[in-house]
Amino acid sequence: TIRLSPEARSEELNQAISTIPLDVITPYLTKNRILNSQEYKNLPYIVGINDDHMSAGADNLIYVMGMPEDSNETTYGVYRRGKAYKNPGNKRQILGYEAVYLGEGYIEKQGNPSTVYLEKSKAEILKGHRLIPINNDKMVATNFFPKPSLLQHSARIVGVLTSGIQPGVTMVGDNDVVIINAGLKDGVKIGDVFNIYRKGSMVKDPVLPNRSVKLPDELNGNLMVFRPFNHLSYALIMDAQSTLSVGDIIKSPYLNN
């Protein structure tokens, strides 16, 4: 097998990134999140729904076990455990689970169970779903300072963030939000910028048919991390030159291709 390498390209690493569309990323700053298995198990959960309904929606009461008695939080989001994101290099290692936002409400009465009034719902809410405090008035970062990532190894796009409502989406473009398999434990920070490469395919040599040639990975855009977790991060696609997909390689602009 022969590997072809592209010629080095010079890029202006410090050029200004186009305006960050806050309307796109704000929901992912306040509601969406990544949890590990133990974090999810430790969350308060729905044990019942008023009038013995099988499911709940807006304007329903739900009954929740495990609400912390000493918490000052009054508004909670309702979540279900979504997709497991695995290490591309070790499929047995789960890096985290997407917590899929389903709706939100406020505590009407503390207890065990506590009574929660659902104000909003965007999907069916069932017994066993978990609650996480959210604060819609909380200040979110509106100023980002994009900078080349210092990560010393490549990573990948491992998922597309669709809040679980459109599972199976794998193709993305500008202003889409993706999940990458690098996070706080890797030294990734808010504002880190990565180059995105489309993985070069393997082709048969038309002259020497017994030989396969690995085509070079091609630069195809960049992304900026805006919310890192331990082993995964949310990132915004910017300047995509063509359609991107789950599995595409990302690298610091400081790393040679």
Side-chain angles (χ1 to χ4, degrees):
T1 300
I2 294 178
R3 291 178 178 269
L4 301 180
S5 298
E7 295 180 0
R9 299 179 182 178
S10 62
E11 296 184 44
E12 188 62 52
L13 296 180
N14 296 318
Q15 64 184 350
I17 299 280
S18 55
T19 303
I20 306 301
L22 289 176
D23 59 323
V24 173
I25 67 173
T26 295
Y28 305 113
L29 291 169
T30 58
K31 294 184 173 68
N32 290 73
R33 62 201 68 207
I34 298 290
L35 301 173
N36 63 39
S37 180
Q38 193 59 47
E39 287 172 331
Y40 187 83
K41 288 179 181 177
N42 290 340
L43 293 172
Y45 61 91
I46 299 173
V47 70
I49 301 169
N50 70 314
D51 294 332
D52 293 325
H53 290 164
M54 296 300 294
S55 63
D59 297 323
N60 282 154
L61 293 176
I62 56 175
Y63 305 101
V64 181
M65 297 292 290
M67 284 290 200
E69 296 180 3
D70 56 350
S71 174
N72 293 323
E73 299 286 350
T74 57
T75 303
Y76 282 79
V78 182
Y79 293 81
R80 67 171 173 81
R81 193 172 79 173
K83 180 178 179 178
Y85 293 101
K86 299 180 179 180
N87 183 346
N90 178 7
K91 295 296 186 181
R92 294 183 177 181
Q93 181 188 11
I94 295 177
L95 301 176
Y97 293 90
E98 179 181 354
V100 180
Y101 171 82
L102 304 174
E104 63 188 75
Y106 60 85
I107 297 177
E108 278 202 344
K109 183 180 179 182
Q110 279 279 10
N112 205 24
S114 295
T115 302
V116 174
Y117 174 77
L118 289 175
E119 292 183 285
K120 305 175 185 176
S121 65
K122 61 186 296 186
E124 188 176 48
I125 293 172
L126 304 173
K127 295 177 184 178
H129 286 161
R130 307 288 170 148
L131 275 76
I132 302 174
I134 57 174
N135 186 350
N136 289 322
D137 297 323
K138 138 179 172 181
M139 293 294 294
V140 297
T142 56
N143 294 313
F144 294 91
F145 300 96
K147 59 192 182 304
S149 170
L150 299 179
L151 191 68
Q152 294 299 305
H153 59 81
S154 63
R156 290 184 181 271
I157 296 174
V158 296
V160 181
L161 200 55
T162 61
S163 299
I165 306 302
Q166 297 173 287
V169 175
T170 59
M171 310 298 284
V172 293
D174 278 352
N175 293 339
D176 281 330
V177 174
V178 296
I179 300 172
I180 64 171
N181 67 322
L184 295 169
K185 298 288 188 181
D186 304 290
V188 172
K189 299 177 181 178
I190 293 173
D192 277 7
V193 174
F194 291 86
N195 287 341
I196 308 171
Y197 295 87
R198 178 189 294 128
K199 187 176 181 181
S201 58
M202 295 293 297
V203 298
K204 290 289 187 181
D205 190 318
V207 175
L208 300 173
N210 292 327
R211 183 169 71 178
S212 296
V213 177
K214 166 68 167 63
L215 299 182
D217 299 336
E218 291 290 344
L219 182 63
N220 198 26
N222 56 54
L223 57 77
M224 187 198 75
V225 171
F226 65 88
R227 191 175 183 190
F229 299 91
N230 282 341
H231 301 289
L232 299 160
S233 297
Y234 292 164
L236 181 71
I237 298 290
M238 300 179 295
D239 303 324
Q241 298 173 18
S242 62
T243 302
L244 305 166
S245 63
V246 170
D248 281 354
I249 300 164
I250 66 169
K251 293 182 181 180
S252 163
Y254 290 132
L255 292 181
N256 292 326
N257 190 39

